Amino acid sequence: MNQSFESSSTGSGIDTAKVAALADEPLDWRFKALPPAAWGLTVREYLATGPTLADFGTPLLTLDAGALGHNVRTMADWCAKAGVALTPHGKTTMAPALWQAQLAAGSHGITLANLPQVRVARAFGVDRILLANSLLDPAGLAWIAAELAADPSFAFVCWVDSVESVQLMDQALRAAGVQQQVEVLIELGGPGGRTGARGEQTAMAIAFEVLASTRLNLVGVGGYEGALAHDATPAALGSVRHYLRELAGLHEQLEAASLYGTGEPIVTAGGSAYFDLVTEELAPLATEVPGTKVILRSGAYVAHDDGFYRGISPLARGAGAAGVGDQDTASPLRPALHGWARVVSHPEPQLSLLDAGRRDLPFDDGLPEPQLVRTPEGARSLAGSGAHISALNDQHAFLRGAGEHAPVGAVLRLGISHPCTAFDKWTMIPVLDDADSPDPRVVDLVRTFF
């Protein structure tokens, strides 16, 4: 019998040997970040040569080792003080080495968004997975059931948001000859939001449908408040808080009606924008409804950014959480991602073209931010210069206002916005010892699997 998502075995949470084996991967032309000098060597061998940022070409995306470590520790400490578990969203990075760091810092498991991502996690032995989505694919359900049957330490839970989704899951599992139960959460949505049952009445009907199934086990409720707001205005924060109270109310009603199956119930919410409100509204459930486990699913915090999350993250905007203590004691998160691009054309006095575009850098939630320029004479900050990126094409960025600060051939460091659409553009990402150093050293290479 497989253990529930709540009570599955503790330990590393990931196959550390498989993660370590990534250092033995041969390097070649498949990895656009890497220079030809790396080809034919393994990751381990190439790092032993002592590469620096200057050895790499452009365009390039890098991570900062100090910022990564700081962010992982900061969020882990914040959640521990708040009394909530953290199951970070692995879709942000799809990097098993970073998942391992998060798990080692105390994360409860890894959240993922679709079945291909779950398969990556299982390939690296992740033993506690929260799929923040419905799983209706019959072949996928059969595979998950086989994984659960083959590995008693594997804990898995996914969402349902309609009676139809419950029926389809039950039919697929029956057709596959599955005898054991798959654990599910009822996803609660909100008006104008994304997926999720609209309203308590629909959610309760789903609960009774799960109860009637012999192949599913209802273990909690979940949702995503970030779909209901996109800023930190009073109106936005109010809508998020209202939704979270509805989620808490649904959990209390399900518990009072004894509609949960085996295992201790889960309540989960929390992206990287409003986890303070999630904690304030949901953390008390752990004591009000004994046995309840409150789980945050924040993911973008690990890299943070110089755009959207810089302005809206609870730690960046100085927001505390009930019971966590003085909000000023929370260390702010640091941007760990940087783009690097070269000026390849200066056709007009206030226009330069860089060799990085949409194929290299995120653009869906804010354009890259010019931060400094590197020339043979040294590095110079662009703060206050008026330099900005006005648009991105597939392979070019339009840099305006830099003037003589960015001559042809100069390399710019760019801050990026929205890390979730940065990692997916790179299969191997160099990690710098210090992105602010005059000559940053490359101390690691992070492999992603999108």
Side-chain angles (χ1 to χ4, degrees):
M1 178 64 67
N2 287 284
Q3 303 177 44
S4 72
F5 187 82
E6 152 59 26
S7 60
S8 66
S9 62
T10 59
S12 67
I14 195 169
D15 189 328
T16 56
K18 287 186 176 180
V19 176
L22 291 172
D24 298 317
E25 183 170 13
L27 302 175
D28 55 30
W29 51 267
R30 293 172 299 155
F31 306 109
K32 69 177 185 178
L34 302 182
W39 298 357
L41 303 177
T42 66
V43 170
R44 190 189 318 277
E45 290 168 343
Y46 181 59
L47 292 175
T49 69
T52 67
L53 177 65
D55 296 321
F56 287 69
T58 54
L60 185 65
L61 186 79
T62 63
L63 286 160
D64 182 279
L68 280 175
H70 170 84
N71 293 345
V72 169
R73 291 189 302 272
T74 295
M75 192 64 179
D77 290 347
W78 194 93
C79 289
K81 292 176 182 176
V84 295
L86 176 63
T87 299
H89 214 319
K91 75 175 176 65
T92 299
T93 67
M94 288 305 295
L98 297 183
W99 297 347
Q100 179 175 303
Q102 292 169 300
L103 290 164
S107 290
H108 183 70
I110 296 294
T111 297
L112 295 160
N114 60 32
L115 194 61
Q117 295 173 5
V118 173
R119 289 184 176 130
V120 172
R122 288 301 291 156
F124 284 89
V126 176
D127 64 8
R128 192 184 277 138
I129 294 174
L130 193 164
L131 176 60
N133 209 339
S134 296
L135 178 56
L136 306 183
D137 169 25
L141 282 166
W143 177 77
I144 280 291
E147 288 289 295
L148 290 167
D151 184 359
S153 68
F154 176 38
F156 174 83
V157 63
C158 65
W159 290 356
V160 289
D161 76 345
S162 67
V163 168
E164 292 81 4
S165 64
V166 174
Q167 293 171 343
L168 288 170
M169 288 187 71
D170 186 81
Q171 292 167 11
L173 291 168
R174 286 177 180 274
V178 174
Q179 299 300 316
Q180 67 201 86
Q181 292 183 320
V182 174
E183 297 186 338
V184 296
L185 306 177
I186 294 177
E187 180 194 3
L188 184 68
R194 205 161 59 189
T195 53
R198 299 300 197 258
E200 180 183 286
Q201 184 175 355
T202 300
M204 293 300 291
I206 296 169
F208 282 107
E209 193 69 25
V210 175
L211 189 64
S213 169
T214 59
R215 301 300 193 276
L216 302 178
N217 179 30
L218 181 61
V219 297
V221 297
Y224 177 51
E225 74 291 341
L228 304 175
H230 203 68
D231 56 50
T233 62
L237 298 180
S239 67
V240 168
R241 197 179 291 277
H242 176 75
Y243 164 75
L244 293 169
R245 289 174 179 172
E246 288 188 331
L247 186 63
L250 174 61
H251 168 62
E252 292 169 337
Q253 186 167 349
L254 290 168
E255 177 70 17
S258 300
L259 292 178
Y260 286 134
T262 58
E264 297 175 333
I266 296 166
V267 180
T268 176
S272 295
Y274 307 109
F275 57 79
D276 57 328
L277 301 186
V278 172
T279 299
E280 290 174 15
E281 297 296 336
L282 301 185
L285 293 173
T287 53
E288 294 171 4
V289 183
T292 298
K293 191 171 197 70
V294 178
I295 298 177
L296 296 184
R297 303 191 312 276
S298 311
Y301 77 89
V302 68
H304 199 48
D305 71 7
D306 280 304
F308 176 70
Y309 287 108
R310 176 177 61 189
I312 201 171
S313 167
L315 300 188
R317 55 184 162 84
V324 179
D326 184 354
Q327 63 186 40
D328 293 332
T329 64
S331 300
L333 300 171
R334 300 177 188 169
L337 279 169
H338 296 99
W340 302 85
R342 195 177 309 270
V343 179
V344 293
S345 179
H346 187 39
E348 300 172 13
Q350 291 301 313
L351 173 64
S352 297
L353 280 301
L354 309 181
D355 64 353
R358 295 183 178 188
R359 303 292 177 89
D360 313 299
L361 304 171
F363 59 91
D364 61 312
D365 216 341
L367 293 173
E369 174 187 275
Q371 295 179 334
L372 60 82
V373 58
R374 294 168 64 94
T375 66
E377 290 72 40
R380 176 187 301 176
S381 172
L382 290 173
S385 68
H388 64 283
I389 302 295
S390 63
L392 293 181
N393 289 161
D394 281 357
Q395 311 293 171
H396 292 92
F398 289 72
L399 173 67
R400 300 185 184 276
E404 70 281 1
H405 298 297
V408 172
V411 174
L412 274 72
R413 190 183 81 186
L414 306 171
I416 64 97
S417 181
H418 198 194
C420 294
T421 52
F423 283 86
D424 64 315
K425 296 170 174 58
W426 299 84
T427 51
M428 193 76 79
I429 304 177
V431 181
L432 306 180
D433 62 340
D434 182 358
D436 291 325
S437 168
D439 188 24
R441 293 185 301 111
V442 175
V443 295
D444 204 352
L445 296 173
V446 167
R447 183 72 155 91
T448 67
F449 294 87
F450 284 93

